[in-house]
Amino acid sequence: MAILVLVRHGQSIYNLENRFTGNLDIGLTPLGKEEARQTGIKLKAYQFDRAYTSMLIRAQESLRIILEILKETEIPIVKNIALNERMYGSLQGLNKDETTHKYGAEQVEIWRRSYAVCPPDGESLAMTYGRTVPYYQAEIEPQLKLGKNILIVAHGNSLRALMMYLENISPQDISEVNIPTGLPRVYTMDIDLEILDVKYL
C-alpha cells in the first residue's frame, strides 16, 4: 500500500492581491506560511519517503515548512518544471476583477476553468496535463508501486491535471474543480495503483 498526498501551496502575494499568477515566481504571504504550517500539522499521522514540487518558490517554500513541521527535512526532494503552474500569458500579473470588467465574467471563467481554451498567449489546462501527467507516470508512479509514500506540493492547475488523471475526471467536470490552498488531498493506493480511498484532511 502507498500514500499519495497532493497539496496546493499556501496563499501567495498575488493570491492576496487577486492577480493572475501563472508561472511568475511569487512568494507566500504570512497567511500562506501559516497555511503550510497547518498542512504539516494535518499530515502528522503520515510519514513520507520522497517529496516533489515545482520550480516556483511559493510551492518550494510551502513544502519546506510542511517538512519542518513533520521533522522530515532529510527526505529526497525533487523539483521539476513539469509541476509548475500553467502559464497565463498576457493575463499574468493582472488584477482578476479588472480583467473581468474588461473582458466579461464569462470569458474570464472560460480562460480560468476550461480544459482546452488558452488564455491569451498562455497555456490551457490540456497543455498543463500534457506535461504534468507524463512526468507523474514516469517519475512518481514507479515510487508508489514500490510502496513509497509521496508528497507533492504544487499548484492549482498542475494538481487539477493530476486529479483528472487519478480520479478519471472528465474535461467537462474539471471546470467545476477548485483546489483550496493548503488543504491536503490524500490518496491511499494498492501496489497496482488502484485507489482505495481519497479524502481531504
Side-chain angles (χ1 to χ4, degrees), residues 4-8 152 159 162-163 166 183-187:
L4 171 67
V5 177
L6 307 183
V7 179
R8 183 182 174 193
I152 302 176
L159 295 179
L162 286 177
M163 284 178 64
L166 291 166
L183 190 63
R185 189 159 183 82
V186 180
Y187 298 83

Side-chain angles (χ1 to χ4, degrees), residues 17 21-22 30-31 33 42 57 72 89 104 107 116 147-148 150 154 166 168 176 182 186 199:
E17 295 178 355
T21 312
L31 174 59
K33 294 176 182 178
K42 290 175 184 176
I57 194 168
E72 293 188 358
Q107 180 62 69
K148 305 288 188 181
I150 302 296
L166 291 166
N168 297 311
E176 304 299 321
V186 180
K199 62 187 176 184

Side-chain angles (χ1 to χ4, degrees), residues 6 12 28 33 47 51 54 59 67 69 74 79 84 90 92-93 95 109 112 116 118 134 146 156 159 173 181 184 192:
L6 307 183
S12 74
L28 297 176
K33 294 176 182 178
Q47 187 170 18
S54 75
L67 293 179
I69 295 293
E74 300 304 313
K79 304 170 186 175
N84 274 21
S90 59
Q92 294 193 158
N95 180 275
E109 188 68 10
R112 293 186 66 195
C118 299
L146 293 173
L159 295 179
D173 290 341
T181 54
D192 296 316

Side-chain angles (χ1 to χ4, degrees), residues 6 83 132-133 136 152 158-166:
L6 307 183
L83 297 173
T132 301
V133 171
Y136 171 84
I152 302 176
S158 53
L159 295 179
R160 286 171 74 216
L162 286 177
M163 284 178 64
M164 286 185 72
Y165 172 70
L166 291 166

Side-chain angles (χ1 to χ4, degrees), residues 9 25-26 47-48 67 85 108 115 122 132 158 183 190-191:
H9 61 80
D25 208 4
I26 305 300
Q47 187 170 18
F48 296 100
L67 293 179
E85 180 59 289
V108 171
Y115 180 68
T132 301
S158 53
L183 190 63
D190 65 21
I191 58 171

